[in-house]
């Protein structure tokens, strides 16, 4: 059968659109069929069920109306009587559809415009689906493109087989791109969007720096050197932590390159952004000291539960450690994942003296002794009345100037002080309405019950319904900002693990779970705690550890 010119032209158009948009030819033909169906409905009535078919080889178009087989016809446009249907198809039954051929329709101006809109929409959707499928696995890669246009500070990038956008806040400050410029950026996200670009690029993302080093440093590409973390102040400064899996290769030297050639290539791409390359260390204290370079650190004090660290630097190093507008310490904090407090040696000495005086006054008031005795106890490392009351008697008697009789008297006074404090706390928690059943929880004290009462936790059921964060607080990190939430038991040195155990015990006492359930739930809570570390939400907890540098 010969193919007429208009039919051949229809197939040629489908082929051309498919090649230009890089989509399947069958999708274009299907879009044409939908367009013909829409035009036919406008001709024969919107309620009519129309089916159009285009032969992909000959280009011949066949138009059919589908009629529903019924016993009694109510709408001749959409239904056909069973008697008439049997004449066309002897196997027809009620509920079947009969295809009734229709003559070809003439496309007027309105029908042509409507058909064009349908085809354009279908082709655009297919193009976007193809683009999404092609780029969805490239998140985290660096991609090259050509600037197509700039809109309100956002840069639209032509990737050849797709279109992407680099928003204004994802561009390095003060850099300007014009149409036709080449651009290299990090694929931050690829997602389905109903309109507009669906590939989102970034030149400020920390991993953009890491991927640039991966392209410039063969050892990183091969996996011999690993980039552990990156912190950036886009357009100004960046810190990158690296570690070598081969002891014979210096990770910092490899990233710098001969005469700085490798790092300079990255710096030029980042518009002159200065980069500090830092050796990563599994020891948190060492890593933080390295991250604060070029400042020298005298001492660090770590609080591992809350991921907080105090850094002591010489007085003349304070401005260098903080950096201009706090940049150095902020980047070091982002790089290490720790909150960093910087003190000078003078400030630390002043704080220690203040703490010593507070402890001295605690013993003077609580034990009814003179200041010299209070200072002796404080200088020996005693920090609380409980330590004095329940420590081995020999430890107090061994203090210079004390004998066994003095030690016994001091311990007796300490215990009396604790008993008086316990009596006051017991009265206070009763005034708050805290019930006696809370005391059944192991580790619970009257002082804790007072704190819980002020937080509206007044019985075993309330306590059992709590979560560790409610009791000990947590630290939430939102980018460079840190928000600290305190809990009623934080001041008593209760760790997150202790709080979990107390809550689970309370649930057993309240009859919510059994002892057998407790063992399984504790394991689950451990899993949750590990997950919390991934989300960078940590709780206040144990006493800090000291590390001298």
């Amino acid at each position: 059968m010969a193919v007429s010119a208009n039919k051949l032209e229809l197939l040629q158009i489908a082929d051309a659109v498919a090649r230009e948009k890089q989509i399947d030819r069958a999708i274009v033909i299907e879009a044409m069929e939908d367009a013909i169906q829409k035009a036919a409905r406008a001709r024969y009535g919107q309620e009519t069920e129309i089916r159009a078919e285009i032969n992909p080889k000959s280009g011949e178009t066949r138009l059919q109306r589908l009629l529903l087989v019924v016993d009694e016809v109510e709408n001749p446009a959409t239904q056909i009587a069973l008697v008439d249907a049997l004449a066309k198809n002897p196997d027809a039954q009620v509920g079947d559809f009969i295809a009734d051929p229709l003559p070809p329709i003439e496309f007027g101006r309105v029908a042509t415009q409507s058909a064009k809109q349908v085809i354009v929409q279908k082709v655009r959707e297919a193009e976007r689906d193809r683009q999404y499928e092609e780029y969805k696995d490239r998140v985290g890669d660096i991609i090259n493109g050509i600037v197509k246009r700039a809109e309100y500070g956002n840069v639209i990038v032509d990737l050849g087989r797709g279109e992407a956008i680099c928003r204004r806040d994802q561009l390095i400050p003060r850099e300007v791109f014009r149409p036709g410029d080449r651009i290299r950026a990090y694929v931050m996200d690829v997602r389905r969007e109903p309109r507009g670009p669906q590939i989102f690029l970034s030149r400020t993302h920390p991993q953009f720096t890491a991927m640039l080093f991966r392209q410039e440093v063969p050892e990183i590409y091969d996996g011999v050197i690993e980039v552990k973390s990156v912190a950036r102040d886009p357009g100004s400064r960046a810190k990158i932590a690296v570690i070598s899996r081969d002891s014979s290769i210096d990770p910092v030297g490899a990233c710098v390159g001969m005469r700085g050639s490798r790092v300079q290539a990255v710096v030029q791409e980042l518009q002159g952004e200065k980069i500090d390359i830092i050796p990563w260390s599994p020891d948190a204290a060492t890593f933080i000291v390295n991250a604060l370079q070029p400042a020298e650190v005298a001492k660090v004090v770590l609080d591992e539960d809350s991921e907080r660290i105090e850094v002591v630097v010489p007085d003349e190093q304070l401005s260098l450690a903080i950096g201009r507008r706090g940049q150095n310490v902020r980047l070091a904090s982002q790089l290490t994942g720790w909150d960093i407090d910087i003190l000078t040696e003078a400030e630390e000495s002043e704080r220690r003296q203040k703490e010593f005086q507070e402890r001295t006054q605690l013993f003077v008031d609580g034990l009814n002794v003179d200041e010299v005795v209070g200072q002796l106890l404080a200088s020996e490392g005693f920090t609380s009345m409980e330590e004095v009351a329940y420590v081995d008697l020999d430890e107090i008697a061994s203090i210079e100037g004390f004998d066994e009789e003095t030690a016994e008297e001091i311990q007796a006074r300490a215990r009396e002080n604790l008993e008086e404090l316990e009596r006051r706390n017991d009265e206070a928690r009763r005034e708050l309405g805290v019930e006696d059943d809370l005391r059944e929880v192991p580790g619970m004290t009257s002082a804790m019950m007072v704190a819980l009462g002020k937080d509206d936790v007044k019985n075993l059921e309330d306590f059992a319904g709590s979560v560790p964060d409610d009791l000990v607080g947590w630290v939430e990190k939102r980018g460079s900002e840190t928000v600290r939430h305190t809990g009623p038991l934080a001041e008593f040195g209760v760790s997150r693990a202790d709080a979990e155990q107390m809550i689970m015990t309370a649930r057993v006492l309240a009859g919510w779970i059994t002892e057998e359930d407790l063992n399984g739930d504790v394991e689950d809570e451990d899993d949750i705690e590990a997950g919390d570390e991934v989300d960078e939400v940590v709780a206040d907890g144990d006493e800090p550890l000291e590390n001298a540098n």
Side-chain angles (χ1 to χ4, degrees):
M1 181 178 105
V3 180
S4 62
N6 60 338
K7 295 177 183 178
L8 183 60
E9 186 179 35
L10 191 67
L11 295 179
Q12 289 174 343
I13 292 172
D15 290 337
V17 172
R19 283 195 302 270
E20 180 184 350
K21 301 298 184 181
Q22 298 173 352
I23 59 177
D24 191 357
R25 176 176 180 263
I27 295 176
V28 181
I29 292 177
E30 183 183 345
M32 291 179 171
E33 291 173 346
D34 289 344
I36 295 173
Q37 288 172 186
K38 185 174 181 180
R41 285 196 187 95
R43 169 70 175 79
Y44 293 105
Q46 293 297 332
E47 76 280 1
T48 308
E49 186 66 32
I50 303 290
R51 182 170 65 192
E53 293 180 357
I54 298 175
N55 190 311
K57 294 183 180 179
S58 65
E60 182 180 357
T61 302
R62 184 169 64 173
L63 203 59
Q64 296 175 320
R65 176 176 59 180
L66 299 182
L67 299 174
L68 178 64
V69 180
V70 296
D71 288 326
E72 184 177 347
V73 176
E74 296 179 358
N75 186 352
T78 60
Q79 298 174 342
I80 185 173
L82 179 59
V83 177
D84 297 332
L86 290 172
K88 296 185 178 185
N89 182 2
D91 298 327
Q93 297 179 0
V94 174
D96 291 347
F97 283 93
I98 294 295
D100 185 22
L102 294 173
I105 61 172
E106 292 293 332
F107 281 83
R109 183 181 62 83
V110 175
T112 302
Q113 286 294 328
S114 178
K116 177 184 176 183
Q117 289 176 1
V118 171
I119 294 172
V120 169
Q121 180 65 25
K122 289 282 185 181
V123 170
R124 184 180 291 121
E125 289 176 0
E127 184 182 15
R128 293 177 65 76
D129 286 341
R130 188 268 310 159
Q131 180 175 296
Y132 174 78
E133 292 297 327
E134 181 175 346
Y135 287 96
K136 68 178 182 179
D137 296 326
R138 298 195 63 181
V139 174
D141 290 346
I142 284 182
I143 205 166
N144 295 304
I146 296 176
V147 175
K148 195 172 183 179
R149 63 186 183 276
E151 298 176 347
Y152 307 106
N154 304 324
V155 175
I156 309 301
V157 182
D158 183 3
L159 303 178
R161 293 174 59 86
E163 193 175 85
I165 183 171
C166 190
R167 298 192 184 278
R168 180 172 53 187
D169 59 343
Q170 297 299 324
L171 291 169
I172 296 173
R174 297 180 299 280
E175 71 177 349
V176 178
F177 287 100
R178 296 178 176 82
D181 290 349
R182 295 197 63 85
I183 183 172
R184 186 155 50 158
Y186 177 80
V187 183
M188 183 172 61
D189 192 15
V190 178
R191 59 177 182 261
R192 293 188 185 275
E193 293 284 341
R195 297 179 61 187
Q198 54 189 0
I199 303 171
F200 298 90
L201 306 180
S202 173
R203 286 176 56 81
T204 61
H205 198 284
Q207 285 303 310
F208 182 46
T209 303
M211 294 304 293
L212 287 174
F213 270 101
R214 188 173 185 269
Q215 291 184 348
E216 297 293 338
V217 182
E219 291 86 350
I220 296 178
Y221 182 84
D222 294 337
V224 178
I225 294 175
E226 180 185 356
V227 177
K228 298 293 287 187
S229 59
V230 182
R232 287 184 68 189
D233 191 350
S236 178
R237 197 176 197 89
K239 289 179 183 284
I240 178 170
V242 293
I243 184 174
S244 175
R245 303 190 183 281
D246 186 341
S247 58
S248 64
I249 296 178
D250 174 23
V252 176
C255 292
V256 171
M258 185 69 69
R259 296 181 180 177
S261 58
R262 292 175 176 176
V263 71
Q264 282 304 316
V266 177
V267 168
Q268 289 174 9
E269 179 63 38
L270 298 179
Q271 305 295 317
E273 187 174 304
K274 297 177 182 178
I275 301 175
D276 296 334
I277 304 172
I278 294 161
W280 183 85
S281 171
D283 178 64
T286 303
F287 183 31
I288 291 167
V289 169
N290 293 339
L292 285 170
Q293 291 177 358
E296 297 178 3
V297 176
K299 186 170 114 177
V300 297
V301 180
L302 291 147
D303 182 350
E304 292 186 340
D305 278 337
S306 61
E307 292 193 10
R308 196 172 189 83
I309 184 171
E310 288 185 354
V311 176
V312 181
V313 299
D315 293 10
E316 67 275 7
Q317 293 282 317
L318 179 62
S319 59
L320 190 60
I322 295 175
R324 188 177 65 174
R325 298 178 183 174
Q327 185 184 70
N328 191 55
V329 68
R330 183 174 66 252
L331 290 178
S333 180
Q334 293 176 13
L335 187 74
T336 60
W338 288 72
D339 290 335
I340 301 175
D341 293 332
I342 295 185
L343 303 172
T344 63
E345 291 177 332
E347 289 172 337
E348 194 217 10
S349 176
E350 182 181 344
R351 190 192 66 181
R352 286 185 172 277
Q353 289 178 4
K354 183 179 178 181
E355 290 176 353
F356 180 80
Q357 291 172 358
E358 289 175 351
R359 290 201 304 271
T360 299
Q361 195 61 43
L362 171 69
F363 297 135
V364 168
D365 295 340
L367 301 175
N368 193 22
V369 295
D370 58 28
E371 188 174 357
V372 175
V373 174
Q375 289 177 348
L376 286 171
L377 290 170
S379 62
E380 287 295 320
F382 290 101
T383 59
S384 67
M385 202 65 71
E386 286 82 358
E387 290 182 4
V388 176
Y390 301 110
V391 76
D392 189 73
L393 189 65
D394 292 340
E395 290 195 29
I396 301 177
S398 63
I399 298 175
E400 186 177 354
F402 285 13
D403 54 24
E404 188 172 340
E405 184 179 349
T406 304
E408 289 177 353
E409 178 63 24
I410 288 176
Q411 275 202 333
R413 292 186 183 184
R415 289 170 183 168
E416 288 176 5
N417 179 265
L418 292 175
E419 288 172 2
E420 176 62 20
L421 187 60
E422 176 72 13
R423 185 187 63 78
R424 291 177 185 173
N425 286 332
D426 202 43
E427 289 178 357
R429 64 97 181 169
R430 287 179 180 174
E431 290 177 2
L432 290 168
V434 180
E435 299 178 7
D436 293 340
D437 58 1
L438 259 182
R439 202 181 290 277
E440 299 176 25
V441 178
M444 185 67 67
T445 65
S446 295
M448 291 181 183
M449 294 169 72
V450 171
L452 290 170
K454 292 178 180 177
D455 203 48
D456 207 29
V457 178
K458 299 188 177 181
N459 55 46
L460 195 61
E461 294 279 332
D462 293 343
F463 190 81
S466 303
V467 296
D469 287 347
D470 295 335
L471 303 181
V472 299
W474 71 96
V475 174
E476 186 176 358
K477 295 179 181 176
R478 301 172 183 167
S480 59
E481 182 183 359
T482 300
V483 180
R484 182 176 294 274
H485 305 270
T486 58
L489 301 188
E491 61 180 299
F492 300 100
V494 177
S495 69
R496 182 181 177 83
D498 293 338
E500 287 174 356
Q501 186 61 46
M502 292 172 75
I503 290 171
M504 299 311 296
T505 304
R507 291 175 182 176
V508 173
L509 294 171
W512 292 11
I513 59 174
T514 64
E515 287 286 351
E516 290 74 16
D517 295 331
L518 178 59
N519 295 329
D521 285 342
V522 169
E523 293 176 2
D524 293 340
E525 292 288 336
D526 289 340
D527 294 339
I528 293 171
E529 185 175 4
D532 286 343
E533 292 174 1
V534 174
D535 294 335
E536 296 188 340
V537 179
V538 293
D540 294 327
D542 298 337
E543 298 177 357
L545 302 174
E546 288 196 2
N547 291 302
N549 183 50

